[in-house]
Amino acid sequence: MSAILTVTLNPALDLATSVGQVVPNLKLRCGPETAEPGGGGVNVARAIMQLGGQSQALVALGGHTGKALETLLADQRLATIRIEAPAETRHSFAVTDQSSGEQYRFVLAGPTWTDAQLDQMLDQLDSVAPQDAFVVLSGSMPPGAKPGFIPHACARLGSGRKLVVDTSGAHLEAQAKGPKPAPYVLRMDSHEAETLSGLTLETQAESAAFAEELRQRGAGRLVIIARGKDGSVMADGTGLWHVNASNETVVSAIGAGDSFVGGFVMGLAQGETPPEALRFGAAAASAAVISEGTQLCHRSDWDRLLPLTEITKL
């Protein structure tokens, strides 16, 4: 089994609660709160652990919030490698409106990194990641990281390590142009794909065709586009693939994408083919959305949903 190392440069202490109804200009009395470690790479590592796999999480932490987050990571027995963040670790919080079932999610910015600090981080990452490891960059890049950081990280980490990228905004837009070297996997959601393509991508075939266009452009060696309740599509050089979402119930959408990445990378690290790993990821995402708050996927749900998750070659 290949090693998996997730990278979280902008983690968060994720708070979640609920209220009878969200209305402006009033004090809203909330229900009990939960606190969980958050940030894309942290969530991917948590998902892998909850699915029974193994990974390490390199996490940048700072200040009192960073200490609280480090305690939560230790309590969950997540294997972590701590590096120092430039400033205080951020909070994020989610509030569920009980009257409508809608969820409001508030995400703070976090500390700003300099180019020198990012290069120092890559030096540390290079020293701890095995040469054949899967290295996961999941979530938004930290403030201060400039578009072009992804190919820079690919070049610094070398061709043996397989970089898995699930990001957004200017960094995704820059990566979609196909700068070299490319990551092993580039994943995005349907809204992001529609923004990049300028198309509505209403069908699985249209999403898969755009994934193949991005792959041929050099945006990633494998390109995955999530389609929500319609599953995900992937272009991997051997064909265009679709995987279904194996349930329609959504309790909380928090962490579904990170659970997908966790299940997918776990499958690859265990030697599964990319289409089979896609099935692992889709089942993990389906398991995540039936969990409350920020709990991510559970192995018992994944075991039940995996047989209902099917791969189709388009």
Side-chain angles (χ1 to χ4, degrees):
M1 177 175 175
S2 298
I4 303 171
L5 183 65
T6 71
V7 180
T8 311
L9 301 183
N10 201 17
L13 182 62
D14 281 345
L15 304 178
T17 187
S18 61
V19 69
Q21 185 177 12
V22 177
V23 294
N25 305 318
L26 293 177
K27 290 183 178 180
L28 304 178
R29 303 297 178 182
C30 299
E33 71 178 46
T34 61
E36 297 281 354
V42 165
N43 285 339
V44 171
R46 287 175 58 213
I48 291 170
M49 181 181 67
Q50 291 178 196
L51 290 173
Q54 294 183 344
S55 67
Q56 283 187 300
L58 184 144
V59 188
L61 299 169
H64 295 294
T65 307
K67 289 180 180 178
L69 183 53
E70 188 173 20
T71 298
L72 284 176
L73 293 170
D75 288 344
Q76 295 191 5
R77 298 183 179 179
L78 195 69
T80 60
I81 301 169
R82 176 186 172 136
I83 63 173
E84 196 63 30
E88 183 84 20
T89 297
R90 64 188 173 129
H91 286 87
S92 68
F93 55 100
V95 180
T96 298
D97 184 321
Q98 295 172 334
S99 66
S100 66
E102 297 290 338
Q103 190 176 70
Y104 297 82
R105 300 166 67 178
F106 303 86
V107 181
L108 304 184
T112 299
W113 291 68
T114 66
D115 289 344
Q117 288 167 333
L118 289 168
D119 280 337
Q120 184 180 18
M121 179 278 301
L122 289 174
D123 288 340
Q124 292 175 284
L125 181 56
D126 181 54
S127 70
V128 297
Q131 288 299 315
D132 62 346
F134 289 90
V135 178
V136 180
L137 288 177
S138 181
S140 59
M141 296 297 156
K146 300 178 180 62
F149 174 71
I150 293 170
H152 177 64
C154 290
R156 182 67 184 83
L157 295 175
S159 59
R161 298 172 178 126
K162 297 180 176 66
L163 198 64
V164 178
V165 176
D166 182 7
T167 192
S168 59
H171 288 270
L172 177 59
E173 184 178 351
Q175 191 56 39
K177 296 175 183 177
K180 300 294 186 291
Y184 183 62
V185 178
L186 180 66
R187 179 187 179 272
M188 68 198 71
D189 64 30
S190 195
H191 173 72
E192 291 163 342
E194 289 176 345
T195 300
L196 290 172
S197 66
L199 303 171
T200 57
L201 303 181
E202 294 180 356
T203 68
Q204 297 166 11
E206 289 171 338
S207 292
F210 183 58
E212 174 64 11
E213 178 184 331
L214 289 172
R215 190 193 69 80
Q216 292 189 15
R217 197 184 296 172
R221 290 164 57 187
L222 285 71
V223 177
I224 299 171
I225 298 175
R227 290 179 51 85
K229 290 185 178 181
D230 194 28
S232 294
V233 297
M234 178 179 70
D236 69 346
T238 70
L240 305 181
W241 305 88
H242 172 259
V243 64
N244 67 310
S246 49
N247 72 67
E248 295 184 357
T249 301
V250 177
V251 175
S252 173
I254 293 177
D258 293 325
S259 292
F260 177 97
V261 173
F264 179 73
V265 175
M266 185 182 75
L268 292 177
Q270 291 176 353
E272 302 291 349
T273 64
E276 181 64 8
L278 187 70
R279 200 168 72 90
F280 277 33
S286 293
V289 300
I290 60 177
S291 296
E292 295 183 355
T294 57
Q295 294 180 40
L296 304 177
C297 52
H298 295 292
R299 178 61 187 252
S300 59
D301 294 322
W302 185 80
D303 285 338
R304 177 174 55 85
L305 294 170
L306 185 62
L308 306 177
T309 308
E310 300 177 346
I311 287 286
T312 304
K313 193 169 187 178
L314 299 175

